[in-house]
Amino acid sequence: RARGAQACEMGRRRARKQAAPKPKPKLDTMFDCLFCQTGKAVEVKMVRLDQIGFLKCRVCGVSYQSRISYLSEAVDVYSDWVDETTEANFRKDDGGVEVTPGAAAAAK
């Protein structure tokens, strides 16, 4: 009897299940509007086939579009919009001709 019980204990260890991979965190597609200061009012849509990212505020209706690549995410379109508006405000304050945000992106 002792041998039978001991033989079962001396076998190989049971293999453990491989841990399931953790899900990647999702990036936001809704952002705060720079013009009307409303939280989570700006929605970004990506049209990958046309390589264009659209941004629109649900409250004040401001919109923007920029070219995207296959690596681009919604936050990239939003940051392009933020950069474009700050650049336009800087040019307007500098005494130059007022430029609407998105005009420079359309020229690219």
Side-chain angles (χ1 to χ4, degrees), residues 3-87:
R3 281 189 182 190
Q6 190 177 19
C8 290
E9 292 176 9
M10 292 188 59
R12 287 200 297 174
R13 289 181 184 242
R14 291 181 62 175
R16 292 186 181 175
K17 289 184 179 179
Q18 188 175 12
K22 294 181 180 176
K24 291 184 180 180
K26 301 282 185 184
L27 297 174
D28 287 341
T29 58
M30 300 292 289
F31 302 96
D32 300 342
C33 183
L34 299 175
F35 294 100
C36 66
Q37 304 298 322
T38 306
K40 303 289 184 194
V42 175
E43 185 176 9
V44 178
K45 292 186 180 178
M46 313 280 278
V47 182
R48 297 214 182 263
L49 294 175
D50 295 336
Q51 296 182 341
I52 297 176
F54 294 99
L55 176 143
K56 183 169 175 120
C57 178
R58 291 182 285 124
V59 178
C60 66
V62 70
S63 62
Y64 175 77
Q65 66 183 23
S66 69
R67 295 196 60 85
I68 60 171
S69 69
Y70 69 98
L71 294 174
S72 298
E73 293 292 334
V75 69
D76 297 321
V77 176
Y78 181 74
S79 64
D80 288 345
W81 179 53
V82 170
D83 294 342
E84 195 73 33
T85 54
T86 54
E87 184 179 326

